[in-house]
Amino acid sequence: MEPPHSNTSNQDPGRRRPWVVGISGASGTPYAASVLRGLLAAGEAVDLIVSRASRLTLMDETGIAFRDAHWRSDLREWLALGADGKPGTFPVTEDRLADVRYWPAGDLAAGPSSGSYPVKGMLIVPASTACVAGVALGLSKDLLQRVASVTLKERRRLVVTVRETPLNGPTLKHLVALDEAGAVVLPASPAFYAGATHIQDLVDFVAGRVLDAAEVPHGLYRRWEGELRGGSKGEAPEAS
């Protein structure tokens, strides 16, 4: 049985400054997986919070049951999946997961619930409209919302990857409130100029934009370089 907040890193605990990744119940768990892989590939430490609602979404979208007692093996299985659901698409080693800590969503005494706990910031991906409302209103009804509130009050980077469409008036007001509070509101909106040919390309574009907002280096998508039709895989048709 894996202790929920275990950390097998040899890194000096006094110098460890992770990114907190919060996963809410919105559809879009492949976005979260891609962000996590990107952070770990960049050598970043991660503190992970998986909401109760997001476990249902993860089960529905991947068939994986995320369990507190077996979170590390469940996380490894999840991160190995491609966006198309193909197992073993990405290699995930024990070393790669060595500096991940997991905090149950109901643990309001967890380390990141305090502003004195050193973190770089927080990425909520995907963010449901309920999560957006809770953070905007400062409800702190679970650890994910509490950490988001702490992130804002400490003036740290908060990226909110909202995944919903269409957006109604109350949600738009909540997003404006988060923007005014200093958060980065980043809709899960894939672009096509990078020449996507697979669902993974579209997922990685959004994840890459999340990492851009966090100023974490990555190679998840081809950046715009000012050349038209740069994303085209074939020759442009001749004009008739």
Side-chain angles (χ1 to χ4, degrees):
M1 180 178 295
E2 184 76 22
H5 55 276
S6 69
N7 175 35
T8 57
S9 172
N10 292 322
Q11 190 173 0
D12 180 358
R15 300 184 61 184
R16 184 181 186 272
R17 291 187 64 231
W19 283 97
V20 179
V21 177
I23 304 173
S24 79
S27 176
T29 55
Y31 294 128
S34 184
V35 167
L36 287 168
R37 287 191 297 264
L39 288 170
L40 297 176
E44 298 285 346
V46 172
D47 276 24
L48 178 63
I49 304 170
V50 180
S51 76
R52 292 179 62 185
S54 69
R55 297 179 190 224
L56 298 176
T57 307
L58 185 63
M59 172 66 78
D60 185 53
E61 294 184 346
T62 70
I64 295 173
F66 196 91
R67 302 159 294 175
D68 287 348
H70 304 281
W71 68 267
R72 189 175 296 275
S73 60
D74 294 339
L75 178 62
R76 186 189 308 111
E77 181 184 4
W78 176 30
L79 295 188
L81 285 179
D84 59 0
K86 182 180 178 181
T89 299
F90 299 97
V92 182
T93 64
E94 278 296 325
D95 289 343
R96 182 57 60 86
L97 297 181
D99 206 14
V100 178
R101 288 180 179 173
Y102 168 70
W103 303 94
D107 184 4
L108 292 177
S113 67
S114 171
S116 66
Y117 185 88
V119 302
K120 292 182 177 180
M122 183 178 190
L123 314 175
I124 305 177
V125 52
S128 65
T129 55
C131 174
V132 166
V135 176
L137 296 173
L139 298 182
S140 295
K141 75 179 185 70
D142 61 8
L143 180 61
L144 193 158
Q145 292 184 15
R146 168 61 185 169
V147 177
S149 294
V150 169
T151 303
L152 289 175
K153 81 178 182 68
E154 297 293 330
R155 302 296 189 265
R156 295 167 180 159
R157 183 69 55 90
L158 174 64
V159 181
V160 180
T161 309
V162 60
R163 215 309 306 164
E164 184 62 270
T165 189
L167 297 172
N168 61 17
T171 298
L172 290 169
K173 292 176 182 177
H174 293 148
L175 292 173
V176 170
L178 289 177
D179 176 77
E180 292 175 342
V184 176
V185 176
L186 197 154
S189 179
F192 295 85
Y193 60 76
T197 59
H198 190 276
I199 185 175
Q200 189 68 55
D201 299 324
L202 299 175
V203 167
D204 286 347
F205 179 87
V206 172
R209 295 298 288 152
V210 173
L211 296 178
D212 287 345
E215 298 184 350
V216 173
H218 66 87
L220 289 176
Y221 69 90
R222 186 185 63 80
R223 298 182 182 277
W224 174 251
E225 296 178 348
E227 297 181 6
L228 294 178
R229 301 192 68 82
S232 176
K233 298 299 182 183
E235 298 294 330
E238 295 184 1
S240 56

